[in-house]
Amino acid sequence: MKTSDSVKNLLEILGYPSLYPPQQQAIAHGLLDGKNLLITTPTASGKTLIAIIASIKAFEEGKKAIYLTPLRALAAEKYHDFSIIKQLNGHVTNINIKIASSDFNSSPKRLGEADVLILTNEKMDSLIRRDISWISNVGLFIVDEIHLIGDQDRGPTLEMLLAIIRKISPRAQILALSATVSNSEEIADWLRCDLVHTNWRPTQLLEGVYEGGTTVRMNGGNKIKIPGYSNAALEIAVDSIQNGGQSLIFASTRKRAYSLALKATEIVYKFLNKMEKEKAIRAGRQIRAKGEDVELTANLSEVVFKGVAFHHAGLGTSAREIVEQAFKQGIVKLLVATPTLAAGVNLPARRVVISGILRYNSDAGTNLPISILEYKQLCGRAGRPKYDDIGEAIIVGENGLSPTELYEHYILGEPEPVQSQLMNERALRIYTLSIISTIPGLKLEEIYTIFGKTLSGQQHNKTIMKRKIDSTLHYLEVEDLVKSKNDRYIPTNFGRQSSLLYIDPLTAVEFKKAIAMSTQFKPISEDGVRIHTLAFLQLISSCTDFYPKLPMRKRDYELITTYENQMNGLSCEIGDFEYTRSLLALYEWIHEASDRNLSNRLSIEPGDMHRIVENAGWLARALYQVSKLLRRGDLLKELSELQIRIKFGIKNELIPLVRLKGIGRVRARALYDAGFLDLKMVAEAPEAKLSSVSKIGPNLAKRLKEQLKKEPFLTSSA
């Protein structure tokens, strides 16, 4: 099949009469000839289709394509977008598309079977450390959101990943994508890419600043009249809704997002027709049915009933997905979100309202104005392709800030240039060890060379860079993570394992020292077995890799006595002990606290709890592997059980039961309370008796009996 036929067929499937100008320019610059390209065009201007076209070409040439994205939500969205490839020529093709992130786990070998791989940057980085053989057959690397190289947290991973890809796959095509890169020529030069830059977008973007009273000054000199009500951001958003559009308000905090959504309900509800009201009620009920049993879910469903929603990282996965789908379908007319949405899934609106330009900066300990780059990312959501001719982005200024200054700074200003973040201590620790582990036997000058080919090497003083690398190597040697032999650096077993575990070397060292100290403390349970549960959770939740670290509040300290009493008053410390709300949440979680309990007692929302559990599970696995490497067999059983407890949120007694497919914390507890204390009892019980257990029923009871019959080893190993 010729590539031109593939592209034509693809456009027919998508309903496009022709390529967008940025797509035409990409092809003209050698997209289909294997040229490295940096594409910088506005949001919704067709970058994903450019990536799909390039992937089809790679597939036709017998090469793999990898799409790299910074967020799991974006990975899932791109996997859905790329699935269209399977429908080429009106029938399902044999193109194998796979996705992998911490939410979609798959072995490196199985991933190697894919023709197109959608990966988070961290997943790709982890795979490269494992020396995957199929990397040599990758002909195309698509790098989305390339501007995030300048992000303090995510930037170093992406930057080093690109440097290593260029070293181990020098012939592979690189296709870098972004909506906003002011120093695009510098980035293109670093990547050895041709630059394709255009300001074309399918909907015209108008930007403005609310001037107080009733007017918004838009670029182009025109003004919009806004009814003067109690809240400017709300009324600017509603003004668009009453004219048939959808609006998106960016609020600085979760509390503010809910407050604005609640205030908007009675106003927005008036603009819903009968069918829209019915759909809104169904969406709200769906949130209650599938969401977590917490006040947050109830609040969300109440506003969705009225055609409004809020969106932030505290929402559980199911609630967040229902809101996103409802907004895409036009059921939700007004969405109030924290800025995290701007870097997430694509949810455009006719009018985007930035309700304030101040954000809390934890490093500074105060509110600071957002960057121009962040503003441009926010306003990139304005305008729904195929629905709107124009998109509008409007800033509501803070008290004391001049509308004219806001207009000149944000609307007329250029985004800040992308600057490397690789030279911070944490990034250097992680990636110096990673390089040595991935390519053992490097000389010092070769390490300098690899770092020299990063964006940091291009932007920073070489002497200072080398000095920092030397200091990092000294730390890694002192802590027995690497060693120099015959003027070459190689990883120790401890260093190699730390790199494969994908943890900060500092975390690995903290784990190692804590494990060594554990012999000094001998907490004993009632059956005479050492227990370190609370201490292990403290070690995990306090290490440099753990996130989110939620600080204690005054009332939280009253709970500590309860936890210590639950530990029978025994000392179980490993190192310096420090309580955090995240630690308390983990301890509550593995003692089967409900979502409502965690919310009421600790004010921890489902989305935050999901991240706490996910990160704790990863770090518990790492702690187990470090203990195994250090031959601490006396700790392995407890650490193995702790991993299961963290994953399912259960007490020790339920561990055997959750080995069954389809059995989680709720069903395991129901079985246990009904007298089924282990798998042998489940296997020997009559199917009818099993099906009578709450939450089980006849269908699941039958599947459980069949599983135990096929896998009898479960009962012997339980």
Side-chain angles (χ1 to χ4, degrees):
M1 181 171 60
K2 294 180 180 180
T3 302
S4 57
D5 294 335
S6 302
V7 174
K8 183 179 179 181
N9 185 229
L10 186 63
L11 292 175
E12 288 176 358
I13 293 171
L14 295 173
Y16 292 121
S18 61
L19 291 170
Y20 284 165
Q23 296 156 355
Q24 295 171 351
Q25 289 188 35
I27 292 175
H29 277 77
L31 177 71
L32 301 178
D33 301 321
K35 291 282 187 68
N36 293 339
L37 298 178
L38 169 60
I39 313 286
T40 60
T41 65
T43 301
S45 59
K47 292 187 288 294
T48 299
L49 185 58
I50 293 173
I52 291 174
I53 291 170
S55 299
I56 293 171
K57 180 68 188 305
F59 172 73
E60 291 173 349
E61 293 178 348
K63 294 289 185 179
K64 297 179 184 296
I66 291 182
Y67 192 108
L68 299 174
T69 180
L71 300 173
R72 282 168 290 178
L74 280 175
E77 185 177 88
K78 295 306 173 185
Y79 177 74
H80 178 267
D81 291 342
F82 269 71
S83 296
I84 195 70
I85 298 177
K86 295 183 178 181
Q87 301 176 35
L88 291 177
N89 281 352
H91 61 273
V92 177
T93 68
N94 59 345
I95 296 179
N96 186 353
I97 304 172
K98 289 185 182 293
I99 181 173
S101 71
S102 57
D103 282 346
F104 302 87
N105 292 316
S106 188
S107 69
K109 184 177 179 181
R110 290 199 63 186
L111 291 176
E113 299 168 0
D115 302 304
V116 178
L117 262 174
I118 315 292
L119 304 173
T120 58
N121 297 334
E122 288 75 15
K123 187 68 177 182
M124 184 70 216
D125 189 17
S126 175
L127 288 170
I128 285 179
R129 297 182 192 201
R130 297 179 183 278
D131 192 25
I132 44 176
S133 58
W134 47 263
I135 193 76
S136 60
N137 197 38
V138 177
L140 171 67
F141 288 95
I142 303 156
V143 187
D144 199 3
E145 309 286 354
I146 189 73
H147 64 274
L148 285 178
I149 283 177
D151 183 84
Q152 187 173 357
D153 296 320
R154 300 190 186 103
T157 299
L158 178 55
E159 184 177 347
M160 276 311 302
L161 189 55
L162 283 166
I164 293 172
I165 284 172
R166 290 171 59 198
K167 181 174 178 62
I168 64 178
S169 301
R171 296 179 182 176
Q173 181 182 13
I174 292 177
L175 177 61
L177 309 172
S178 179
T180 315
V181 181
S182 62
N183 56 332
S184 54
E185 292 183 357
E186 181 183 24
I187 304 299
D189 179 62
W190 167 56
L191 290 173
R192 303 293 186 265
C193 286
D194 285 356
L195 176 62
V196 177
H197 171 72
T198 173
N199 290 320
W200 183 91
R201 66 194 322 268
T203 57
Q204 181 187 2
L205 176 63
L206 298 179
E207 301 169 75
V209 175
Y210 179 72
E211 292 192 323
T214 60
T215 59
V216 174
R217 175 188 174 194
M218 305 296 289
N219 53 347
N222 57 321
K223 292 191 175 184
I224 297 176
K225 288 284 185 180
I226 300 294
Y229 292 103
S230 58
N231 185 282
L234 207 53
E235 298 312 326
I236 293 169
V238 170
D239 176 68
S240 180
I241 294 170
Q242 67 183 359
N243 290 312
Q246 282 177 289
S247 290
L248 171 59
I249 298 177
F250 283 110
S252 57
T253 66
R254 298 179 187 183
K255 185 177 180 180
R256 176 71 168 156
Y258 172 58
S259 174
L260 285 172
L262 187 61
K263 288 178 181 177
T265 53
E266 295 307 320
I267 306 171
V268 173
Y269 190 66
K270 297 175 183 177
F271 300 112
L272 302 183
N273 60 38
K274 184 179 179 181
M275 183 176 293
E276 289 171 338
K277 288 176 180 178
E278 291 173 354
K279 289 181 178 179
I281 289 173
R282 284 199 293 270
R285 287 174 177 169
Q286 192 178 14
I287 289 170
R288 287 193 172 182
K290 293 188 175 182
E292 294 76 5
D293 180 25
V294 294
E295 185 181 0
L296 179 71
T297 303
N299 290 340
L300 178 62
S301 64
E302 286 296 329
V303 297
V304 169
F305 286 152
K306 303 295 181 69
V308 181
F310 55 87
H311 187 294
H312 56 64
L315 295 180
T317 303
S318 59
R320 194 166 60 244
E321 289 175 349
I322 294 168
V323 165
E324 291 166 1
Q325 196 59 33
F327 191 72
K328 288 178 180 178
Q329 293 173 353
I331 298 169
V332 168
K333 300 295 182 183
L334 171 62
L335 181 61
V336 190
T338 53
T340 52
L341 179 68
V345 293
N346 185 27
L347 293 176
R350 179 182 295 178
R351 182 173 288 176
V352 169
V353 183
I354 296 96
S355 66
I357 53 87
L358 297 180
R359 301 278 186 276
Y360 182 76
N361 184 292
S362 57
D363 292 334
T366 187
N367 288 326
L368 296 176
I370 63 173
S371 66
I372 301 175
L373 177 60
E374 182 177 348
Y375 162 73
K376 296 298 183 184
Q377 291 293 315
L378 297 176
C379 70
R381 299 297 184 190
R384 302 168 300 173
K386 298 184 180 181
Y387 295 100
D388 300 324
D389 294 326
I390 63 169
E392 298 169 338
I394 299 171
I395 300 172
V396 178
E398 316 280 351
N399 289 335
L401 295 176
S402 162
T404 300
E405 289 177 351
L406 289 173
Y407 185 90
E408 291 176 351
H409 181 71
Y410 287 106
I411 296 174
L412 302 182
E414 280 290 317
E416 298 80 6
V418 172
Q419 295 291 328
S420 168
Q421 302 295 317
L422 187 58
M423 286 296 109
N424 70 70
E425 289 185 8
R426 183 174 186 270
L428 280 174
R429 280 196 307 267
I430 293 171
Y431 292 105
T432 303
L433 178 60
S434 172
I435 290 168
I436 293 170
S437 297
T438 305
I439 316 172
L442 288 171
K443 290 185 176 181
L444 180 59
E445 285 300 323
E446 292 175 310
I447 296 173
Y448 289 157
T449 299
I450 292 174
F451 275 100
K453 290 184 178 180
T454 63
L455 180 62
S456 180
Q458 184 168 299
Q459 291 182 333
H460 292 104
N461 180 282
K462 296 292 193 296
T463 302
I464 294 175
M465 183 188 74
K466 289 180 179 180
R467 193 180 303 145
K468 288 187 174 183
I469 292 171
D470 291 343
S471 176
T472 302
L473 284 168
H474 176 71
Y475 169 81
L476 296 176
E477 279 201 272
V478 168
E479 297 296 350
D480 194 36
L481 290 150
V482 304
K483 59 183 179 181
S484 53
K485 188 175 182 180
N486 299 326
D487 199 30
R488 294 181 181 274
Y489 284 90
I490 59 173
T492 63
N493 288 337
F494 175 49
R496 170 72 174 162
Q497 185 68 57
S498 301
S499 181
L500 289 176
L501 290 170
Y502 210 70
I503 56 178
D504 185 338
L506 180 58
T507 294
V509 170
E510 289 173 351
F511 283 3
K512 182 179 179 181
K513 290 178 179 177
I515 290 165
M517 288 179 64
S518 66
T519 56
Q520 300 174 24
F521 302 98
K522 300 183 179 180
I524 307 297
S525 66
E526 292 178 0
D527 58 1
V529 178
R530 287 185 183 180
I531 53 173
H532 308 80
T533 306
L534 192 58
F536 284 148
L537 293 180
Q538 136 71 13
L539 182 61
I540 287 167
S541 62
S542 64
C543 74
T544 184
D545 280 310
F546 184 82
Y547 179 84
K549 289 186 173 79
L550 303 178
M552 296 283 282
R553 304 161 303 174
K554 281 186 179 181
R555 58 179 172 170
D556 297 326
Y557 286 97
E558 298 172 3
L559 300 173
I560 293 177
T561 304
T562 305
Y563 301 137
E564 290 176 343
N565 288 339
Q566 288 174 349
M567 295 298 291
N568 300 319
L570 298 171
S571 169
C572 58
E573 296 182 2
I574 297 181
D576 296 329
F577 204 89
E578 179 185 355
Y579 281 97
T580 64
R581 198 150 34 108
S582 299
L583 169 60
L584 302 189
L586 277 171
Y587 193 74
E588 289 268 4
W589 170 254
I590 66 170
H591 286 84
E592 301 179 35
S594 65
D595 292 317
R596 180 173 288 276
N597 181 282
L598 291 166
S599 176
N600 291 345
R601 293 185 72 185
L602 296 170
S603 300
I604 294 181
E605 296 175 335
D608 296 318
M609 196 62 217
H610 173 77
R611 282 183 290 280
I612 287 172
V613 169
E614 184 179 57
N615 281 315
W618 158 52
L619 291 165
R621 289 191 294 275
L623 183 56
Y624 175 91
Q625 292 298 334
V626 173
S627 299
K628 187 177 180 181
L629 183 69
L630 298 176
R631 300 184 179 182
R632 286 300 304 274
D634 58 310
L635 301 177
L636 297 185
K637 183 176 184 295
E638 185 182 356
L639 282 169
S640 178
E641 291 175 345
L642 183 60
Q643 291 177 62
I644 299 171
R645 294 183 66 187
I646 290 172
K647 179 180 179 180
F648 291 97
I650 56 173
K651 296 178 181 178
N652 262 344
E653 62 205 39
L654 299 187
I655 289 175
L657 296 173
V658 295
R659 297 183 189 190
L660 289 168
K661 293 175 184 175
I663 300 298
R665 67 182 334 212
V666 174
R667 286 171 173 162
R669 175 51 61 194
L671 284 169
Y672 191 91
D673 290 347
F676 297 96
L677 308 185
D678 55 38
L679 295 184
K680 186 177 180 182
M681 296 179 75
V682 175
E684 293 174 351
E687 190 175 309
K689 185 177 180 181
L690 199 59
S691 67
S692 67
V693 177
S694 173
K695 309 291 184 182
I696 300 299
N699 292 334
L700 180 56
K702 183 179 181 180
R703 292 199 300 272
L704 295 179
K705 298 291 284 186
E706 289 174 350
Q707 183 187 350
L708 287 168
K709 198 173 289 184
K710 291 178 182 177
E711 304 172 16
F713 62 87
L714 285 174
T715 55
S716 60
S717 63

